[in-house]
Amino acid sequence: MNSKNFTSRTSSGLSQQLKIVGCIFVLITAIEIINLLTGRALNHFGNIPRYIPGLIGVLTGPFLHGSLSHYLSNIIPLCVLSFLMLQYGNKRFFGVTFFCIILTGLLVWLFGRSASHIGASSVIYSYFGFLLLAGLLSRKFKLIIISLLVAFFYGGLIFGVLPARTFVSWEGHLFGFISGLIAARLWAKNL
């Protein structure tokens, strides 16, 4: 393979990854703006445990936020970890994301406190769990480095799985993290 083809393939991959992260940013931000302008009316679509209509929140809850500060605390880690997840390939990124949203949402719906569970932090914790374990299981240098960087820069997230504050869905954090670990075990072998 000549260096010209390698360079164009690499920059094309990076360009596509940045576009996907940009789309995630625009989507979450657009939903936040609509939610803000409607007085948080969209938050009725949160994940409400053991309430049949609340099952819609399994899919919609991760896209909603309770306040502007809640959105702001999630958007940067979501974009950074999404970019790192894309290092595993687009197909794996979308597969792991869908798997973790569904599994996390169902676990929260089954076992969470009676409240409306919303926020992208459940996805962030899924990515955190996946990135920590998948790189190590892959035994590939680049992916191991990603695991180590995630552990170093985001390792403090692990304390978010504890029930420290009543207004924080620590269940979403915990089940997101567990879902990410499960996804890593399922997908890391085929890297």
Side-chain angles (χ1 to χ4, degrees), residues 92 95-96 99-100 130 134 182-191:
R92 194 166 316 253
V96 168
F99 172 84
C100 287
F130 181 88
I182 292 170
R185 290 290 298 162
L186 293 174
W187 273 283
K189 293 177 182 176
N190 303 320
L191 292 173

Side-chain angles (χ1 to χ4, degrees), residues 23-67:
C23 287
I24 292 167
F25 177 83
V26 168
L27 174 67
I28 300 293
T29 301
I31 292 169
E32 174 58 22
I33 290 168
I34 293 167
N35 207 13
L36 183 65
L37 295 176
T38 60
R40 301 280 165 206
L42 297 179
N43 288 354
H44 289 93
F45 298 104
N47 186 345
I48 303 169
R50 294 164 305 283
Y51 175 61
I52 298 297
L55 268 171
I56 188 73
V58 168
L59 293 174
T60 57
F63 299 94
L64 305 170
H65 293 90
S67 67

Side-chain angles (χ1 to χ4, degrees), residues 63-74:
F63 299 94
L64 305 170
H65 293 90
S67 67
L68 187 58
S69 64
H70 185 205
Y71 157 81
L72 291 172
S73 69
N74 281 338

Side-chain angles (χ1 to χ4, degrees), residues 1-16:
M1 174 200 285
N2 68 36
S3 62
K4 183 178 178 184
N5 286 342
F6 178 75
T7 305
S8 71
R9 187 181 300 167
T10 303
S11 62
S12 173
L14 177 62
S15 174
Q16 186 178 26

Side-chain angles (χ1 to χ4, degrees), residues 12-174:
S12 173
L14 177 62
S15 174
Q16 186 178 26
Q17 292 168 353
L18 292 174
K19 284 179 185 173
I20 292 170
V21 172
C23 287
I24 292 167
F25 177 83
V26 168
L27 174 67
I28 300 293
T29 301
I31 292 169
E32 174 58 22
I33 290 168
I34 293 167
N35 207 13
L36 183 65
L37 295 176
T38 60
R40 301 280 165 206
L42 297 179
N43 288 354
H44 289 93
F45 298 104
N47 186 345
I48 303 169
R50 294 164 305 283
Y51 175 61
I52 298 297
L55 268 171
I56 188 73
V58 168
L59 293 174
T60 57
F63 299 94
L64 305 170
H65 293 90
S67 67
L68 187 58
S69 64
H70 185 205
Y71 157 81
L72 291 172
S73 69
N74 281 338
I75 194 65
I76 300 300
L78 179 64
C79 289
V80 169
L81 294 177
S82 293
F83 177 77
L84 294 175
M85 286 290 298
L86 283 161
Q87 305 314 301
Y88 287 83
N90 294 355
K91 185 176 178 182
R92 194 166 316 253
F93 168 76
F94 288 111
V96 168
T97 299
F98 183 73
F99 172 84
C100 287
I101 286 174
I102 298 298
L103 183 57
T104 301
L106 288 174
L107 289 171
V108 168
W109 191 83
L110 288 169
F111 303 111
R113 286 170 293 153
S114 184
S116 182
H117 296 262
I118 56 174
S121 57
S122 60
V123 177
I124 291 167
Y125 274 83
S126 295
Y127 290 169
F128 175 60
F130 181 88
L131 290 167
L132 280 179
L133 185 57
L136 300 175
L137 294 176
S138 76
R139 297 185 178 166
K140 293 188 177 180
F141 182 74
K142 174 185 173 184
L143 301 178
I144 291 170
I145 294 299
I146 289 173
S147 289
L148 295 174
L149 288 172
V150 167
F152 182 77
F153 287 105
Y154 288 99
L157 285 178
I158 198 67
F159 296 108
V161 303
L162 302 173
R165 295 180 282 185
T166 57
F167 61 89
V168 172
S169 178
W170 61 270
E171 299 96 327
H173 298 175
L174 175 63

